[in-house]
Amino acid sequence: MKNPRKIRAKQLIDNAMQETPEAVSGKRRCGIVLAVFLAARFLCLLAELTGAALGYFTISVQNIILFLVAVFFAWSIYIGIKMMALLGVVGGMIMVVQTFSLYPVLFDPEAYPFVRLYTAVFLLTAYIQVISMLFLVLEKKANIYYKTVFKARRQLMEEEKLQKRQ
């Protein structure tokens, strides 16, 4: 049996979305950007696992966990939590700072070709994360979507307060 609170929250969000066509478009845009973001993160993880299988480096449990965190972030943003996109910008900026030490590896002719490829994939992933999360924070229709979901959730909280008082 489903949770009545979740059912009511979904009803309120669906009603709010029907009233605001821009929010529907914003959610669609979020989904597309998040799919690109997750594809880049998956490609980076796949490159790392391949490098580990080829013996270039060891498997990083941290990066596997970070991929799962990225999936959680994407899901949270997709359901309308803008704060997660802001945190994604911060995480992406940390990745970009980490990439500064990788540029010499990328252009080192003595480095193994796969290591240079992995470095390029990591660099690409870092910049895709920053750009995609900034887009999700700044894009007009995405912000309409976030506001629409926020209003519906606030309405649910107000309904719950009224029920408690009665």
Side-chain angles (χ1 to χ4, degrees):
M1 187 167 178
K2 289 199 173 197
N3 183 344
R5 184 178 191 279
K6 286 184 180 181
I7 293 170
R8 181 64 182 146
K10 182 162 176 35
Q11 284 175 336
L12 290 172
I13 291 170
D14 289 345
N15 291 344
M17 294 290 284
Q18 287 176 357
E19 295 171 5
T20 315
E22 293 89 4
V24 175
S25 177
K27 184 176 184 175
R28 191 175 313 115
R29 287 181 185 190
C30 286
I32 292 167
V33 171
L34 291 169
V36 170
F37 161 70
L38 284 176
R41 294 297 300 215
F42 181 74
L43 181 64
C44 187
L45 179 62
L46 186 63
E48 181 173 328
L49 294 175
T50 303
L54 294 173
Y56 290 110
F57 28 81
T58 60
I59 293 176
S60 170
V61 175
Q62 174 188 359
N63 285 337
I64 294 170
I65 292 170
L66 285 175
F67 177 75
L68 297 174
V69 169
V71 171
F72 172 74
F73 267 68
W75 174 78
S76 298
I77 295 165
Y78 189 70
I79 64 169
I81 303 173
K82 182 179 181 177
M83 181 58 69
M84 296 306 255
L86 290 168
L87 291 173
V89 171
V90 173
M93 293 303 292
I94 290 169
M95 281 180 75
V96 167
V97 169
Q98 289 176 338
T99 65
F100 293 141
S101 65
L102 297 177
Y103 287 106
V105 174
L106 186 63
F107 299 110
D108 183 4
E110 294 180 15
Y112 291 110
F114 182 82
V115 172
R116 289 199 318 258
L117 176 65
Y118 172 74
T119 302
V121 168
F122 187 85
L123 290 167
L124 182 66
T125 301
Y127 288 104
I128 285 175
Q129 179 165 336
V130 170
I131 292 167
S132 63
M133 293 298 141
L134 274 175
F135 178 83
L136 292 171
V137 168
L138 301 174
E139 208 274 324
K140 181 181 175 184
K141 289 187 179 182
N143 279 301
I144 292 170
Y145 168 61
Y146 301 137
K147 288 176 185 175
T148 302
V149 171
F150 180 76
K151 287 177 187 176
R153 289 190 178 130
R154 187 172 38 187
Q155 183 181 349
L156 176 66
M157 290 172 33
E158 290 172 7
E159 287 178 5
E160 289 174 343
K161 285 181 185 177
L162 285 174
Q163 286 178 353
K164 287 181 182 180
R165 289 181 191 163
Q166 295 175 353

